[in-house]
Amino acid sequence: MATKNKTAETVVDVKDFINSYVEDEQKKKDSLELIELMKKWSGSEPKIWGPTMIGFGSYHYKYESGHEGDAMIIGFSPRKAQFSLYVAAPEEEDKKLLENLGKFKMAKACIYFKKLSDLNLDILEKLCKSTIKYISEHNECVCR
């Protein structure tokens, strides 16, 4: 029997989420700016995924194991310690872009940063658009 994904799209209002979840005023301001940027870059309205993620666009995936579900294409979470940014660098040229992204830490499928001013937004736009292109063509996250 298939298990239900914990990270599913919800009906929670994005602005209400920001105002109730984000305590730090700079993080709130950065969140609202990042929402506008990602909305523009993706052409999608923001939606809350799971309890704390803001996602743009969605896709359906199905793995060889039979596991399938829906996921956001790009997004972020304004966590207390730092932002978690859900974009990937799937192509070799994208990995080179990371050299100029700014001050961040990288995990397999997340970029962590403290404040939006730490990042080069032109590079971030390129990474977001590359992630959107990759997922649109492959119907899977590069994090697999």
Side-chain angles (χ1 to χ4, degrees):
M1 184 167 143
T3 59
K4 187 175 179 185
N5 287 345
K6 291 179 189 173
T7 308
E9 187 178 313
T10 71
V11 294
V12 174
D13 181 79
V14 174
K15 296 245 165 95
D16 288 347
F17 165 75
I18 294 293
N19 288 324
S20 64
Y21 181 77
V22 181
E23 295 174 5
D24 180 78
E25 286 305 313
Q26 184 59 51
K27 187 165 281 188
K28 201 176 279 193
K29 182 180 176 215
D30 286 351
S31 295
L32 294 171
E33 183 177 349
L34 196 50
I35 287 169
E36 290 306 312
L37 291 170
M38 290 184 131
K39 182 177 167 180
K40 177 181 163 188
W41 298 335
S42 69
S44 298
E45 291 296 319
K47 304 281 184 180
I48 299 295
W49 286 75
T52 63
M53 293 185 259
I54 301 167
F56 299 81
S58 66
Y59 68 101
H60 187 79
Y61 62 86
K62 184 173 184 177
Y63 300 134
E64 288 180 20
S65 67
H67 178 74
E68 65 182 288
D70 296 304
M72 70 179 113
I73 296 176
I74 61 171
F76 73 96
S77 181
R79 305 211 189 269
K80 194 170 216 99
Q82 57 194 349
F83 283 90
S84 296
L85 187 60
Y86 307 107
V87 299
E91 307 296 340
E92 216 39 57
E93 64 196 47
D94 300 322
K95 292 176 181 159
K96 291 178 185 168
L97 286 173
L98 291 172
E99 296 171 10
N100 297 309
L101 180 57
K103 189 176 173 183
F104 69 97
K105 291 182 181 175
M106 186 89 191
K108 189 172 186 181
C110 294
I111 294 172
Y112 301 104
F113 67 96
K114 298 260 186 208
K115 54 187 187 264
L116 199 53
S117 62
D118 286 341
L119 301 181
N120 178 326
L121 297 182
D122 292 332
I123 300 295
L124 180 59
E125 178 180 7
K126 290 176 183 174
L127 288 170
C128 286
K129 288 181 175 180
S130 182
T131 300
I132 293 164
K133 182 177 184 281
Y134 182 91
I135 291 174
S136 296
E137 291 172 356
H138 298 92
N139 274 347
E140 69 177 14
C141 177
V142 297
C143 54
R144 293 214 13 102

